[in-house]
């Protein structure tokens, strides 16, 4: 973990309550980017607020020294962040958390992101694609206006299914409705690709998910029991680096700190 | 002028008066990854109970103006695991006496933890936590009643020869009365203060943010309350007092010691600025020079 000052390179609103911020690391600070893993997060000090705000890492470019975060403006801290502009500096702790374990790469990974859980799926998707996989991605949003990054996932070579709760884009319903649609032919009708290409879609051999806990639970219930999976959890944090025990959760292997031992937990250790 | 940061606490010399407060520093290992924690005067490790505890349900953290709430509820692996795993791991990175933070639900619980930790040569002091606001039985229930406070301190006093330090709650009408009860029961020192009982409500859900409804408030906002408590206590008893509450600068350290503190503990600042203790210790000589202070031992306002 390093404590670094990063400069905002650019910030833009990509959905009504969703901002994308690109941060620039100067000089040797950029070396931290060499060790970033998908699913990790940064903890940001915001002027006027006492506790830092933990935000997941969406993407990073070690050569350029940049890191991209996408966050929802859900409270006063993130609202204040959304008003910041290029050139301003941010005091951050990074990289934090364990991130997704890519030690045992699935051949046909299924990535599922819901709302604020979409951003870490992008960095994961890139790493999986670079390793030769062609991920199937399901992204869940409230409505069409909230959708972001669909094309960016597709540009990585991933097949992308969108779900919206009101049906204004993609499949009406939740990410689990898209899981059910995989391999039934209905998914094929929603995106380019031959029927053969979609024939074995339900035969994914690993599932990665990030989103609200009810979504994670539903994904777990809908995925075949024998499929390994990794899920990223959210919790209110004090420090973000394992000192305060504020964000602990019980697992089959004892108490774990979401910020330090997580946020990614193996599907097999989660107690629902 | 060479600043003399040395001080002593219950007969044990400290290189400087800055300690990290219990519950904000784990068992030291997370911070040892960031800086050499041997620069600390010492630190008080995570509150330890006879049996492992998960603590309260989450959410158990809430942000506040110049502070935070926590309702962790003494999550710890239990005293046996602390002795078998945490202290040996700490011995590799920290070579000074550490302060043990002793908790329980009954005087017998406190005595059990203290008796076991008494066998550990690493432990320099027993800090008896009679002030945690986040547990149903014990904790603050002992620290808000002079008789109950004395009972716990006596129980610990009987099982250890190490200095016994009572960590006091600010959630009382007269903190000096509790301090005197602890002194009479055999305490060798006092830590003041633990967190203030507080709460927040989420405007969107109209529900308390903390799953446990209430929690302990800490951070820079409580510094004046802690300073006042140290002032009152140090005039009521003849024991060294560790000033704790909202300290986040070398100036805060000097102010706390002027109020009567023999040493200080830095708490929440460790969570927002991981190098807070290192930074404060680094700034201390400059702050002493600025205010013409040669030795911290002579700082207390009479």
């Amino acid at each position: 973990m390093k404590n670094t000052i990063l400069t905002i390179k650019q910030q833009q609103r990509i959905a009504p309550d969703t901002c994308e911020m690109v941060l620039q690391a100067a000089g040797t600070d950029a070396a931290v980017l060499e060790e970033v893993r998908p699913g990790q997060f940064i903890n940001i000090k915001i002027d006027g607020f006492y506790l830092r705000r933990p935000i997941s890492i969406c993407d990073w470019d070690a050569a350029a020294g940049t890191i991209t975060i996408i966050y929802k403006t859900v409270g006063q801290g993130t609202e204040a962040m959304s008003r910041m502009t290029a050139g301003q500096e941010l005091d951050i702790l990074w990289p934090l958390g364990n991130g997704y374990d890519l030690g045992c790469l699935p051949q046909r990974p299924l990535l599922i992101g819901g709302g604020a859980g979409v951003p870490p799926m992008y960095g994961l998707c890139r790493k999986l694609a670079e390793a030769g996989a062609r991920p199937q991605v399901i992204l869940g949003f409230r409505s069409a206006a909230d959708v972001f990054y669909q094309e960016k996932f597709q540009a990585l070579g991933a097949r992308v299914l969108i779900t919206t709760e009101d049906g204004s884009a993609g499949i009406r319903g939740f990410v689990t409705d898209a899981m059910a649609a995989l391999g039934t032919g209905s998914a094929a009708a929603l995106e380019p690709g031959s029927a053969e290409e979609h024939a074995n879609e339900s035969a994914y051999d690993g599932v990665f998910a990030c989103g609200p806990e009810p979504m994670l639970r539903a994904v777990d219930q809908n995925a075949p029991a024998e499929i390994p999976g990794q899920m990223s959890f959210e919790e209110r944090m004090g420090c973000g680096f394992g000192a305060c025990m504020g964000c602990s959760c019980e697992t089959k292997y004892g108490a774990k700190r979401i910020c330090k031992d997580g946020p990614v937990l193996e599907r097999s250790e989660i107690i629902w | 002028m060479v600043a003399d940061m040395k001080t002593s606490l219950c007969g044990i010399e400290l290189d400087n008066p800055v300690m990290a407060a219990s519950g904000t520093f784990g068992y030291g290992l997370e911070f040892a990854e960031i800086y050499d924690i041997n620069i600390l005067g010492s630190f008080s490790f995570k509150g330890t109970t006879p049996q492992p505890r998960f603590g309260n349900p989450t959410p158990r953290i809430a942000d506040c103006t110049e502070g935070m709430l926590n309702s962790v509820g003494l999550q710890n692996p239990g005293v046996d695991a602390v002795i078998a795993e945490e202290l040996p791991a700490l011995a590799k990175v920290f070579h000074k006496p550490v302060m043990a933070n002793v908790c329980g639900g009954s005087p017998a619980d406190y005595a059990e933890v203290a008796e076991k930790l008494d066998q550990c040569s690493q432990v320099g002091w027993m800090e008896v936590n009679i002030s945690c606001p986040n547990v149903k039985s014990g904790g603050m229930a002992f620290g808000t009643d002079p008789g109950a406070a004395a009972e716990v301190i006596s129980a610990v006093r009987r099982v250890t020869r190490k200095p016994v330090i009572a960590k006091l709650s600010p959630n009382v009408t007269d903190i000096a009365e509790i301090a005197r009860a602890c002194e009479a029961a055999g305490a060798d020192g006092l830590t003041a203060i633990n967190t203030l009982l507080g709460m927040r409500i989420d405007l969107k859900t109209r529900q308390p943010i903390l799953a446990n409804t209430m929690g302990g408030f800490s951070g820079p906002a409580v510094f004046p309350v802690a300073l006042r408590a140290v002032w009152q206590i140090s005039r009521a008893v003849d024991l060294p007092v560790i000033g704790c509450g909202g300290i986040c600068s070398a100036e805060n350290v000097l102010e706390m010691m002027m109020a009567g503190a023999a040493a200080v503990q830095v708490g929440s600042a460790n969570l927002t600025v991981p190098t807070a203790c290192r930074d404060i210790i680094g700034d201390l000589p400059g702050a002493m020079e600025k205010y013409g202070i040669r030795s911290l031992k002579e700082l207390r306002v009479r």
Side-chain angles (χ1 to χ4, degrees):
Chain A
M1 178 182 76
K2 294 273 191 311
N3 190 351
T4 306
I5 304 296
L6 299 184
T7 306
I8 299 173
K9 193 176 177 194
Q10 61 187 63
Q11 161 142 271
Q12 59 173 335
R13 204 165 278 267
I14 57 173
D17 59 353
T18 308
C19 294
E20 177 197 64
M21 184 185 271
V22 181
L23 296 160
Q24 179 74 52
T28 54
D29 290 340
V32 174
L33 292 160
E34 304 284 355
E35 53 186 277
V36 168
R37 307 201 317 176
Q40 290 188 303
F41 65 96
I42 68 177
N43 214 358
I44 306 174
K45 174 76 184 144
I46 304 169
D47 282 348
F49 297 89
Y50 189 65
L51 294 177
R52 292 170 182 266
R53 289 336 193 236
I55 307 284
S56 63
I57 295 170
C58 173
D59 198 16
W60 66 98
D61 183 336
T66 58
I67 188 163
T68 303
I69 56 172
I70 292 174
Y71 60 94
K72 291 258 183 197
T73 50
V74 291
Q76 292 180 330
T78 43
E79 288 285 352
M81 253 178 76
S82 72
R83 290 191 291 272
M84 298 183 79
T85 52
Q88 284 187 268
E89 292 182 332
L90 283 179
D91 176 331
I92 69 159
L93 300 175
W94 68 329
L96 300 174
N98 58 350
Y100 289 97
D101 180 2
L102 301 181
C104 182
L105 277 176
Q107 297 293 307
R108 299 179 303 282
L110 173 61
L111 278 58
I112 304 176
V118 168
M121 286 300 130
Y122 181 75
L124 175 63
C125 188
R126 179 171 66 78
K127 294 300 275 189
L128 290 172
E130 285 171 6
R134 192 183 175 202
Q136 170 67 55
V137 176
I138 299 173
L139 305 177
F141 301 94
R142 278 197 305 268
S143 69
D146 300 312
V147 176
F148 62 88
Y149 264 47
Q150 180 176 5
E151 298 78 13
K152 295 201 69 161
F153 277 95
Q154 285 166 339
L156 294 174
R159 291 172 297 194
V160 181
L161 287 177
I162 301 291
T163 69
T164 53
E165 291 173 30
D166 63 2
S168 54
I171 299 169
R172 176 190 293 272
F174 298 102
V175 295
T176 44
D177 295 301
M179 289 174 80
L182 285 177
T184 62
S186 58
L190 290 162
E191 62 156 348
S194 67
E196 296 82 61
E197 197 182 335
H198 290 282
N200 288 320
E201 274 175 332
S202 63
Y204 52 88
D205 56 0
V207 60
F208 301 86
C210 183
E213 197 168 321
M215 185 203 94
L216 298 178
R217 186 195 310 248
V219 168
D220 182 68
Q221 286 166 350
N222 281 270
E226 68 278 10
I227 301 281
Q230 299 179 40
M231 300 195 174
S232 181
F233 285 77
E234 269 199 324
E235 190 51 77
R236 280 181 185 263
M237 293 177 185
C239 62
F241 56 92
C244 74
M245 318 298 266
C247 61
S248 297
C249 74
E250 304 249 38
T251 74
K252 289 174 185 164
Y253 308 111
K256 290 201 169 185
R257 299 159 294 183
I258 292 296
C259 70
K260 175 95 173 179
D261 310 312
V264 179
L265 299 180
E266 292 282 344
R267 193 182 171 199
S268 57
E269 67 181 319
I270 299 166
I271 301 172
W272 295 104
Chain B
M1 188 169 73
V2 180
D4 179 9
M5 293 198 288
K6 284 189 168 30
T7 185
S8 70
L9 183 63
C10 305
I12 300 174
E13 290 293 317
L14 302 180
D15 290 335
N16 64 70
V18 179
M19 314 173 84
S22 182
T24 65
F25 215 73
Y27 294 91
L29 301 180
E30 288 75 20
F31 291 87
E33 291 174 16
I34 305 167
Y35 65 90
D36 178 7
I37 61 175
N38 290 291
I39 64 165
L40 297 170
S42 182
F43 75 96
S44 182
F45 65 57
K46 178 74 189 155
T48 300
T49 52
Q51 300 298 320
R53 279 180 62 92
F54 175 73
N56 292 317
T58 55
R60 49 196 198 184
I61 297 288
D63 195 24
C64 303
T65 304
E66 288 300 307
M68 61 179 285
L69 291 172
N70 91 83
S71 58
V72 170
L74 298 180
Q75 180 180 343
N76 78 94
V79 65
D80 294 334
V82 168
I83 291 170
E85 292 159 28
E86 303 291 350
L87 291 181
L90 175 63
K92 293 180 184 156
V93 294
F94 188 61
H95 314 302
K96 293 178 171 181
V98 68
M99 186 172 285
N101 189 276
V102 178
C103 306
S106 67
D109 277 357
Y110 284 92
E112 180 184 344
V113 174
E115 191 164 19
K116 287 179 174 172
L117 289 169
D118 184 66
Q119 306 302 311
C120 304
S121 57
Q122 284 163 277
V123 173
W125 311 261
M126 298 283 182
E127 183 174 55
V128 186
N129 183 352
I130 51 171
S131 43
C132 176
N134 294 321
V135 290
K136 282 198 180 71
S137 57
M140 199 174 83
F142 293 114
T144 52
D145 177 84
E151 198 182 338
V152 174
I153 297 303
S154 298
V156 173
R157 176 75 288 162
R158 279 194 290 274
V159 297
T160 182
R161 289 185 178 176
K162 298 183 194 287
V164 174
I165 294 171
K167 185 166 181 180
L168 304 184
S169 172
N171 305 303
V172 294
T173 308
D174 182 4
I175 198 167
E177 182 189 16
I178 310 286
R180 280 189 290 265
C182 292
E183 181 178 40
D188 302 292
L190 303 166
T191 301
I193 54 178
N194 205 316
T195 53
L196 285 76
L197 194 60
M199 81 180 265
R200 297 288 316 260
I201 291 173
D202 183 326
L203 292 173
K204 287 178 183 160
T205 64
R206 305 184 188 186
Q207 296 296 312
I209 291 176
L210 299 175
N212 212 36
T213 305
M214 287 174 268
F217 181 48
S218 61
V222 313
F223 179 74
V225 178
L227 189 87
R228 177 270 299 169
V230 168
W231 177 276
Q232 289 177 321
I233 292 166
S234 57
R235 277 147 187 81
V237 298
D238 192 23
L239 297 177
V241 179
I242 304 168
C244 176
I247 293 173
C248 58
S249 68
E251 284 77 8
N252 286 163
V253 174
L254 297 178
E255 195 175 339
M256 197 59 101
M257 296 187 81
M258 287 175 188
V264 301
Q265 288 179 354
V266 176
S268 303
N270 293 304
L271 307 181
T272 59
V273 183
T275 55
C277 284
R278 185 184 73 184
D279 299 343
I280 290 170
I281 292 165
D283 290 344
L284 201 48
M288 290 172 68
E289 187 172 348
K290 181 177 176 186
Y291 294 100
I293 299 161
R294 247 182 276 270
S295 167
L296 293 178
K297 287 174 180 165
E298 302 304 318
L299 207 49
R300 179 175 163 174
V301 177
R302 297 285 161 182

